Amino acid sequence: MSLHIFGQKRVLSFNYTLKDVNGLTLDASSEGPLAFLEGTGQIIPALEAQIKDMSAGEKKNVKLKAVDAYGLVDEKMTMKVPKNELAHLKIEVGGFLQLNLGEQMKVVRVAEIAETEVTLDGNHPLAGMDLEFDIEMVESRSATEEEVTHGHAHGPHGHHH
Ligand code: ZN
């Protein structure tokens, strides 16, 4: 049981292993725990909801449906571009390109390279996937005023200035 002062934001540090439904590891906190400030959208909201009341040392398996994780695949997020427009770039299927769309930068995945066209996919690489997280809570503490002001966690696992 964790003491929770109402209205007080918390900083949570946790280790995780992210797996797909077949148990294949997709990502893990290999460089130490991930620290985040509660309620700032730094991690998937549905994951945050499931782990925010965990105490240090507690472990939990969290399963998320695609729609609650990185969303469903949106066909409108894919586009075909003429291959010769990308001729100056070294592209390969599964690689990523940074597109400059006027003011906005967008990272897209090279989904397919055909004879004259390249299919680019702007969906998150984990869109459409049900995911499973093995979580180990390392630390759960009150956020400092400075962290709340900055909107991110400080300290060994957090943001360094
Ligand atoms: Zn800061």
Side-chain angles (χ1 to χ4, degrees), residues 112-127:
E112 198 184 331
I113 302 175
E115 192 120 355
T116 58
E117 279 182 333
V118 176
T119 306
L120 301 175
D121 186 352
N123 284 289
H124 189 282
L126 298 178

Side-chain angles (χ1 to χ4, degrees), residues 21 27 31 36 39-40 43 45 49 55 71 77 79 86 102 109-110 112 115 127-128 138 150 160:
V21 287
D27 191 18
E31 286 168 24
F36 74 98
T40 50
I43 67 167
S55 322
M77 298 281 279
M79 64 190 116
L86 303 172
R109 190 174 55 87
V110 178
E112 198 184 331
E115 192 120 355
V138 175
H150 287 194
H160 297 277

Side-chain angles (χ1 to χ4, degrees), residues 1-159:
M1 142 128 209
S2 60
L3 288 172
H4 214 122
I5 304 164
F6 186 75
Q8 171 77 63
K9 284 199 174 191
R10 302 192 65 77
V11 167
L12 301 167
S13 303
F14 65 96
N15 285 314
Y16 68 93
T17 302
L18 167 59
K19 295 178 289 190
D20 68 10
V21 287
N22 300 314
L24 178 75
T25 298
L26 301 171
D27 191 18
S29 51
S30 50
E31 286 168 24
L34 179 71
F36 74 98
L37 176 63
E38 186 181 7
T40 50
Q42 277 170 275
I43 67 167
I44 304 168
L47 177 63
E48 179 171 331
Q50 295 237 26
I51 69 172
K52 65 182 174 60
D53 293 323
M54 288 171 71
S55 322
E58 207 177 317
K59 292 180 180 179
K60 193 172 182 180
N61 176 269
V62 178
K63 290 186 173 70
L64 295 182
K65 289 286 175 199
V67 67
D68 296 321
Y70 289 97
L72 302 173
V73 173
D74 182 354
E75 294 299 334
K76 291 193 295 290
M77 298 281 279
T78 64
M79 64 190 116
K80 289 185 193 297
V81 297
K83 201 174 179 178
N84 59 19
E85 280 187 23
L86 303 172
H88 59 298
L89 299 166
K90 194 170 172 284
I91 56 167
E92 57 180 7
V93 172
F96 291 89
L97 291 179
Q98 207 169 48
L99 294 189
N100 204 338
L101 305 170
E103 301 282 283
Q104 222 187 345
M105 293 293 269
K106 172 114 186 96
V107 175
V108 296
R109 190 174 55 87
V110 178
E112 198 184 331
I113 302 175
E115 192 120 355
T116 58
E117 279 182 333
V118 176
T119 306
L120 301 175
D121 186 352
N123 284 289
H124 189 282
L126 298 178
M129 290 175 68
D130 294 344
L131 299 175
E132 188 176 331
F133 293 85
D134 285 324
I135 301 291
E136 180 194 13
M137 191 56 65
V138 175
E139 186 183 45
S140 172
R141 62 170 171 83
S142 298
T144 65
E145 242 179 79
E146 191 183 43
E147 286 172 322
V148 172
T149 307
H150 287 194
H152 55 229
H154 292 161
H157 315 305
H159 194 94

